[in-house]
């Protein structure tokens, strides 16, 4: 079971994490999921919004991008005053935002960066266009400490179909060559026994990471949540692989406490120690 870190003493420096992502009005994913996950780990969460979505448990009905200048201003406001120990990127939406974010992160010289590509949903729906994918691949991925594509995103980045565990392993090695320090191919979109089985590759270690399967329909925000947990653990100075393993454990527990809210797919229970035990 994942253990919550002890809160820092008043005189101690509190770890700070920054999420650069979109807002989910339904509260299950995006900035909202990231900040709750940071808080669980006793890491101070800061944010830079890239877009605002109108969504609930059933669908997304509207997406409005913020001007790139606004995204930069938010990043600078946080970095120049508070500072950050780790950063994650989520939904960046378009090539213009991706370009300015990549340039600013390079200038920040952040050495703990989790990139959740948010290119394709876990059900296979494409979320960004080809220009944005190219910018992500060429400008942002090479800066990543950990890259976290799902099955469909990994297929695009590796330029091959993924159906088996061997396919996942081969894709991880191919994607690693794009420049990130480590790749975690998430298996939530896989079928059968591979559902939820992830593959890690960092150039030296190729490891299959699996936890118990949780039987719930309410899985909204799982990709955001695991990448945010990885970011929080990096801010707490865990190694990338240990940060990833702890994040998987946290997500599994949050899935056990998933919230059956709304008429569709509810979110995971980010604050599960405060929730009643599932029946």
């Amino acid at each position: 079971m994942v253990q919550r870190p002890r809160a820092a003493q008043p005189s101690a420096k509190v770890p700070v994490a920054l999420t650069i992502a979109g807002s989910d009005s339904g509260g299950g994913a995006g900035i909202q999921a990231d900040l709750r996950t940071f808080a669980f780990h006793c890491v101070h969460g800061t944010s830079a919004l890239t877009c605002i979505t109108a969504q609930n448990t059933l669908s997304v009905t509207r997406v409005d991008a913020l001007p790139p200048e606004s995204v930069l201003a938010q990043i600078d406001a946080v970095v120049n005053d508070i500072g950050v120990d780790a950063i994650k990127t989520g939904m960046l939406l378009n090539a213009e935002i991706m370009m300015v974010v990549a340039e600013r992160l390079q200038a920040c010289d952040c050495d703990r960066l989790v990139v959740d590509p948010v290119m394709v949903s876990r059900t296979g729906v494409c979320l960004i266009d080809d220009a944005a994918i190219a910018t992500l691949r060429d400008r942002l991925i090479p800066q990543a400490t950990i890259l976290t594509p799902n099955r469909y995103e990994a297929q695009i980045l590796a330029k091959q179909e993924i159906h088996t565990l061997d396919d996942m392993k081969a894709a991880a090695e191919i994607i690693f060559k794009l420049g990130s320090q480590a790749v975690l191919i998430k298996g939530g979109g896989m079928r059968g026994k591979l559902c939820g089985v992830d593959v890690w590759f960092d150039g030296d270690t190729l490891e299959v990471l699996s936890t118990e399967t949780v039987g719930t329909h309410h899985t909204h925000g799982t990709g955001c949540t695991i990448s945010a947990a990885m970011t929080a653990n990096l801010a707490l100075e865990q190694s990338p692989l240990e940060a990833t393993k702890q994040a998987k454990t946290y997500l599994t527990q949050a899935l056990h406490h998933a919230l059956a809210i709304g008429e569709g797919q509810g979110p995971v229970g980010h604050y599960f120690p405060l929730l009643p035990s599932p029946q």
Side-chain angles (χ1 to χ4, degrees), residues 109-169:
D109 196 26
C110 178
D111 60 359
R112 295 172 183 155
L113 172 64
V114 177
V115 174
D116 182 0
V118 193
M119 298 159 51
V120 184
S121 74
R122 198 171 62 156
T123 58
V125 177
C126 194
L127 303 173
I128 60 176
D129 62 21
D130 290 343
I133 292 173
T135 304
L136 177 75
R137 182 188 61 236
D138 298 338
R139 300 300 302 273
L140 194 57
I141 288 176
Q143 299 185 55
T145 305
I146 309 173
L147 175 68
T148 66
N150 62 29
R151 172 194 181 185
Y152 299 104
E153 292 161 344
Q155 288 184 152
I156 293 173
L157 294 172
K159 299 181 180 180
Q160 68 173 39
E161 293 290 313
I162 297 176
H163 300 287
T164 67
L165 183 59
D166 285 340
D167 291 341
M168 294 176 72
K169 293 177 179 178

Side-chain angles (χ1 to χ4, degrees), residues 1-5 36-37 39-42 250 253-259 268-278:
M1 180 174 182
V2 65
Q3 298 296 319
R4 296 186 68 189
R36 282 200 292 270
T37 301
F40 174 94
H41 290 83
C42 297
Y250 166 71
Q253 292 172 321
L255 281 166
H256 274 298
H257 293 80
L259 306 182
V268 302
H270 298 97
Y271 41 91
F272 59 80
L274 304 178
L275 295 170
S277 298

Side-chain angles (χ1 to χ4, degrees), residues 18-251:
L18 168 64
T19 170
I20 307 171
S23 171
D24 174 358
S25 59
I31 290 283
Q32 288 82 354
D34 294 344
L35 294 179
R36 282 200 292 270
T37 301
F38 293 164
F40 174 94
H41 290 83
C42 297
V43 170
H44 178 70
T46 60
S47 62
L49 268 66
T50 59
C51 59
I52 299 171
T53 70
Q55 64 176 293
N56 50 33
T57 64
L58 295 170
S59 64
V60 178
T61 58
R62 183 182 176 101
V63 180
D64 293 290
L66 272 68
E69 296 80 7
S70 175
V71 179
L72 284 183
Q74 294 174 76
I75 296 172
D76 288 345
V78 172
V79 172
N80 293 340
D81 174 41
I82 303 170
V84 293
D85 296 294
I87 301 173
K88 71 152 283 190
T89 62
M91 169 61 87
L92 300 182
L93 194 64
N94 60 47
E96 292 76 20
I97 292 175
M98 285 183 186
M99 182 66 74
V100 297
V101 168
E103 290 176 351
R104 185 60 92 245
L105 293 182
Q106 190 167 25
C108 292
D109 196 26
C110 178
D111 60 359
R112 295 172 183 155
L113 172 64
V114 177
V115 174
D116 182 0
V118 193
M119 298 159 51
V120 184
S121 74
R122 198 171 62 156
T123 58
V125 177
C126 194
L127 303 173
I128 60 176
D129 62 21
D130 290 343
I133 292 173
T135 304
L136 177 75
R137 182 188 61 236
D138 298 338
R139 300 300 302 273
L140 194 57
I141 288 176
Q143 299 185 55
T145 305
I146 309 173
L147 175 68
T148 66
N150 62 29
R151 172 194 181 185
Y152 299 104
E153 292 161 344
Q155 288 184 152
I156 293 173
L157 294 172
K159 299 181 180 180
Q160 68 173 39
E161 293 290 313
I162 297 176
H163 300 287
T164 67
L165 183 59
D166 285 340
D167 291 341
M168 294 176 72
K169 293 177 179 178
E173 295 188 13
I174 293 170
I175 295 169
F176 175 76
K177 295 177 183 177
L178 295 177
S180 63
Q181 295 178 33
V183 176
L184 180 76
I185 296 183
K186 300 175 295 187
M190 298 296 286
R191 300 288 182 264
K193 294 181 179 180
L194 288 179
C195 182
V197 174
D198 303 335
V199 171
W200 167 276
F201 184 64
D202 61 12
D204 295 316
T205 301
L206 179 64
E207 188 166 342
V208 177
L209 305 178
S210 59
T211 57
E212 62 180 296
T213 300
V214 181
T216 178
H217 168 68
H218 302 296
T219 58
H220 183 53
T222 51
C224 301
T225 299
I226 193 169
S227 60
M230 293 160 72
T231 306
N233 287 322
L234 289 177
L236 292 165
E237 300 186 349
Q238 293 184 13
S239 71
L241 181 54
E242 183 59 28
T244 300
K245 290 179 177 180
Q246 288 294 317
K248 280 185 65 67
T249 300
Y250 166 71
L251 177 59

